[in-house]
Amino acid sequence: MTGKKRKTLTYTLPEEFHVFGFSRDLLAWYDGQKRDLPWRINRDPYRIWVSEIMLQQTRVETVKPYYYAFMEKFPTVEALADAPEEEVLKAWEGLGYYSRARNLQTAAREVKARYGGIVPDKPEEISTLKGIGPYTAGAILSIAYEKPEPAVDGNVMRVFSRLLYMTDDIAKPATRIKVEHLVRQVIPVGRAGDFNQALMELGALVCVPRTPQCLTCPVFDYCLARREGVQEELPVKGKAKPPRPVHLQVAVVRRENHVLMNKRPDQGLLAGMWEFPMVESDAETPAAKQEILQDSLRNRFGMDAEVLEPLMEVQHTFSHLHWNMEVWRCDWIEGEALPAQARFVTLDEISSLTLPVAHQKIAEKLKSDQ
DNA sequence: AACTCGGGGCG
DNA sequence: CGCCCAGAGTT
């Protein structure tokens, strides 16, 4: 009965918002309750920038240790711009969404070359930098430069959907545009950065996804969803597609005390990271799996190897993929001319390469078995 | 507008 | 287990 399409809804701010009440009460709460976070010690645009990139789709507690290490290693735009790409990727290892790291360095080099190392403070300039989308542009401009720009992330979407009883699907891009227009109307002059952070802080600490803590909410009085008792039904969000299963045969090819590793292409999934060679296959029988793996090693690495026995199975789920990995112990037989992206390394050397978590699981087992 | 792109924490 | 996280780039 209920179709997917719905009449377009428009929202206006209740009168209370216009008399500074909402912004004043939210900021007062933020001034007293804000967390002590490492990117809040000053307003250095580069420090804010790095934090915002790391925080994309990533929790504060996860980011903290990476942030400390990253700022230690790359303290300035120039330090990041001049660093080897491999080192930047290594600093990102385990954090996920690795294109963030590559784009961040690309943008740092752009800032050094085109803007004299100064992060631009104009929306139309900063938005051209790789990895800086609508949210991150608004966050840097408001927090570092006090520009009155909205910074609408998942927290702000949730907070506003409840405040204004919005039933739009927050998974849709059009909804973010609506919320940006609404936020723009309530940014207090001179405190844009704190206000945007206060909205996010509220979403992170009080107006949380499940079981929002309305009794301690500083803007309880303004919330239309709470007024109707529907705060736990909001926001509306369409369901994501389940991850697609992928079956992989993985080779641990040993040659004396070395293991064959392969560097993934510099585009696409896990770009530029190292892995144990593997091949996608829906083969059913062990013999068929062994043959496919052996053929793949010959075709891709010009190598004869014997696929001996199963070592372990590894499951790993991404947002859109589910890897079923069957790992095989293999022995190198012959073949010396490895392609450029492949190397034999010792177990100790593996830890200096940048590996995705799924392959770290394999490396750990090899180390524990030796 | 839909898809790709990681990994972990929590109820 | 499903959901969500200070989203952006590509098609």
Side-chain angles (χ1 to χ4, degrees):
Chain A
M1 178 61 206
T2 54
K4 290 190 86 170
K5 299 220 170 183
R6 205 155 27 74
K7 183 172 46 173
T8 302
L9 300 174
T10 57
Y11 300 87
T12 54
L13 293 164
E15 189 59 31
E16 299 94 298
F17 285 76
H18 295 292
V19 296
F20 302 113
F22 171 77
S23 304
R24 178 199 60 213
D25 292 347
L26 180 62
L27 277 173
W29 170 81
Y30 178 72
D31 289 337
Q33 302 296 320
K34 66 176 174 185
R35 288 169 291 179
D36 204 3
L37 299 175
W39 43 89
R40 287 181 176 164
I41 64 174
N42 61 36
R43 294 195 166 203
D44 175 2
Y46 173 68
R47 290 181 61 87
I48 305 297
W49 179 15
V50 171
S51 76
E52 293 301 341
I53 301 298
M54 284 192 174
L55 286 162
Q56 289 170 7
Q57 297 291 287
T58 312
R59 294 168 191 283
V60 165
E61 291 308 314
T62 304
V63 164
K64 278 183 182 175
Y66 285 91
Y67 184 77
Y68 287 124
F70 196 94
M71 296 311 298
E72 179 83 16
K73 198 166 175 59
F74 314 109
T76 63
V77 170
E78 182 159 31
L80 178 58
D82 294 343
E85 185 180 307
E86 290 276 349
E87 283 187 27
V88 179
L89 191 58
K90 185 69 181 174
W92 215 268
E93 182 182 43
L95 200 51
Y97 286 136
Y98 298 97
S99 66
R100 291 184 295 177
R102 187 183 301 260
N103 288 340
L104 177 58
Q105 189 180 33
T106 299
R109 289 173 172 168
E110 177 82 2
V111 169
K112 179 186 175 187
R114 200 171 305 274
Y115 300 102
I118 308 296
V119 180
D121 66 350
K122 300 192 183 107
E124 60 275 19
E125 287 180 349
I126 199 170
S127 296
T128 67
L129 298 174
K130 283 288 184 198
I132 299 189
Y135 162 76
T136 305
I140 298 172
L141 291 170
S142 62
I143 298 170
Y145 293 119
E146 204 51 62
K147 304 284 184 183
E149 295 289 328
V152 177
D153 72 337
N155 287 308
V156 180
M157 297 281 278
R158 183 173 57 256
V159 167
F160 265 75
S161 78
R162 286 172 176 159
L163 275 173
L164 300 188
Y165 199 158
M166 298 176 68
T167 54
D168 303 64
D169 184 351
I170 65 165
K172 296 190 179 306
T175 308
R176 196 202 73 239
I177 306 288
K178 281 189 187 182
V179 173
E180 283 173 352
H181 284 300
L182 293 165
V183 171
R184 201 178 283 278
Q185 299 176 45
V186 292
I187 296 175
V189 175
R191 295 205 65 184
D194 283 344
F195 181 72
N196 282 335
Q197 293 187 84
L199 283 175
M200 294 187 271
E201 198 84 339
L202 187 72
L205 301 181
V206 177
C207 197
V208 292
R210 288 167 298 221
T211 323
Q213 308 297 302
C214 298
L215 295 183
T216 63
C217 180
V219 290
F220 175 97
D221 290 339
Y222 305 89
C223 185
L224 301 186
R226 180 63 186 82
R227 200 170 292 177
E228 303 297 329
V230 296
Q231 67 275 14
E232 297 199 17
E233 321 304 320
L234 296 174
V236 174
K237 186 173 185 181
K239 288 187 179 64
K241 284 190 358 184
R244 172 173 60 89
V246 176
H247 298 272
L248 295 159
Q249 307 304 319
V250 187
V252 175
V253 183
R254 307 209 65 155
R255 181 181 182 184
E256 296 172 7
N257 62 335
H258 288 65
V259 181
L260 179 62
M261 301 297 290
N262 174 61
K263 192 174 194 291
R264 296 176 64 88
D266 61 9
Q267 296 222 347
L269 183 66
L270 303 170
M273 303 184 82
W274 291 83
E275 65 179 3
F276 298 92
M278 55 187 195
V279 58
E280 184 174 349
S281 141
D282 293 320
E284 301 278 354
T285 70
K289 294 169 181 172
Q290 287 170 296
E291 184 179 345
I292 283 178
L293 194 49
Q294 186 170 359
D295 289 350
S296 172
L297 290 170
R298 181 178 298 116
N299 294 334
R300 293 170 59 201
F301 303 100
M303 166 189 303
D304 273 331
E306 186 176 6
V307 181
L308 298 167
E309 62 189 359
L311 259 179
M312 63 187 299
E313 293 187 6
V314 176
Q315 309 284 321
H316 192 78
T317 305
F318 303 86
S319 308
H320 57 305
L321 297 176
H322 180 82
W323 278 2
N324 301 286
M325 310 165 77
E326 293 183 67
V327 186
W328 296 81
R329 190 166 73 81
C330 309
D331 271 350
W332 174 88
I333 297 176
E334 65 172 353
E336 297 290 347
L338 286 179
Q341 82 286 357
R343 282 167 48 188
F344 274 104
V345 302
T346 66
L347 286 187
D348 285 336
E349 286 171 322
I350 289 182
S351 56
S352 68
L353 304 176
T354 308
L355 265 61
V357 167
H359 288 264
Q360 288 176 20
K361 296 173 186 172
I362 301 172
E364 282 168 21
K365 173 156 179 64
L366 294 183
K367 285 203 164 189
S368 70
D369 285 353
Q370 78 174 347

